Amino acid sequence: MIISRRHLVIGAAAVVSASAAKTQKLVATSAQDLGPFYPIIRPPDHDADLTRIAGRSGTAVGRPINVIGRIVDVKGNPISNAQIDLWQCNAAGRYAHPGDNANPAALDPNFQGFARLASDRDGQFKFRSVKPKDYDTPIGRRTPHIHFAIDGRAERLVTQMYFPGEPLNDIDFLLKNASPRESVIAEAIDPLSGDPDAMAFRWTVVLGVG
Ligand SMILES: [Fe+2]
């Protein structure tokens, strides 16, 4: 077999790009505002199923969702045992928070609204919830989102996760500040086997420090 100079050049380029890919850093997930609705008192039930509250027989109103998340550092290494606080409004656009008492939308007594999770050894976490609705604020309408405060090994990231394809994503005054914007928008994936009626999303969180 005759190896031409062209093949040698292509081969060398492949080696260079492979080693560049190894050292290439991932882009850190954008920080976002904490917002006014982090729970004042954490509810006793704060597990990964926000659609049910311990001791109640009902389930939360709204379209169920599953979110599969993963926390990594900029080298792509998983961050295990990160503490993940997440909170969101219900399917009517109301937070279970005294600061949202003027909101005409109804509270949902069966919606948990807050969870505290930990990432596993692969950096993964998962929760089931209902899709949050968009809502009004004095400075503009918020597109659907879920708030997060994530404590990694040496860093706290406060951010928000958004849903792909939402009409209000283009005008949301906080999403507009995200850099890069894609870092805070989850990817829609096929429903999980065993939960076919719930929409499913995947989101990778990259911590700049770890
Ligand atoms: Fe919010």
Side-chain angles (χ1 to χ4, degrees):
M1 177 180 168
I2 298 168
I3 299 174
S4 70
R5 180 178 160 74
R6 181 167 172 271
H7 280 114
L8 280 174
V9 170
I10 290 170
V15 170
V16 168
S17 66
S19 66
K22 258 189 178 173
T23 56
Q24 199 169 40
K25 286 186 171 179
L26 300 175
V27 177
T29 300
S30 182
Q32 289 265 275
D33 284 28
L34 180 71
F37 300 128
Y38 182 87
I40 293 171
I41 300 169
R42 283 194 301 277
D45 184 3
H46 48 256
D47 68 358
D49 185 355
L50 287 80
T51 68
R52 290 173 179 273
I53 293 180
R56 297 188 66 93
S57 58
T59 56
V61 173
R63 182 78 195 269
I65 61 171
N66 282 300
V67 177
I68 296 176
R70 187 158 188 257
I71 305 176
V72 299
D73 63 20
V74 291
K75 294 177 182 167
N77 299 315
I79 297 178
S80 61
N81 208 30
Q83 178 181 280
I84 302 140
D85 282 359
L86 65 101
W87 63 104
Q88 63 166 92
C89 67
N90 65 25
R94 172 84 183 264
Y95 284 88
H97 188 287
D100 206 21
N101 283 354
N103 188 339
L107 283 168
D108 180 348
N110 296 313
F111 181 54
Q112 191 173 290
F114 171 86
R116 172 166 284 183
L117 312 175
S119 57
D120 68 14
R121 58 186 300 175
D122 297 318
Q124 289 196 320
F125 62 93
K126 181 185 162 197
F127 63 94
R128 189 172 195 273
S129 187
V130 293
K131 178 122 182 287
K133 193 179 183 302
D134 51 290
Y135 61 83
D136 272 326
T137 81
I139 52 173
R141 196 158 184 88
R142 293 301 325 275
T143 194
H145 60 277
I146 300 176
H147 295 263
F148 284 82
I150 297 169
D151 288 313
R153 291 187 291 257
E155 175 184 0
R156 161 165 271 212
L157 173 68
V158 173
T159 188
Q160 301 182 27
M161 186 202 93
Y162 297 85
F163 297 86
E166 292 290 329
L168 292 172
N169 281 357
D170 289 337
I171 60 164
D172 188 280
F173 60 93
L174 289 179
L175 177 52
K176 194 170 63 183
N177 297 334
S179 177
R181 174 187 170 89
E182 309 78 55
S183 70
V184 291
I185 301 179
E187 171 198 3
I189 58 174
D190 288 339
L192 307 185
S193 61
D195 199 0
D197 295 332
M199 293 186 290
F201 300 90
R202 187 191 307 280
W203 186 42
T204 301
V205 177
V206 181
L207 295 185
V209 178

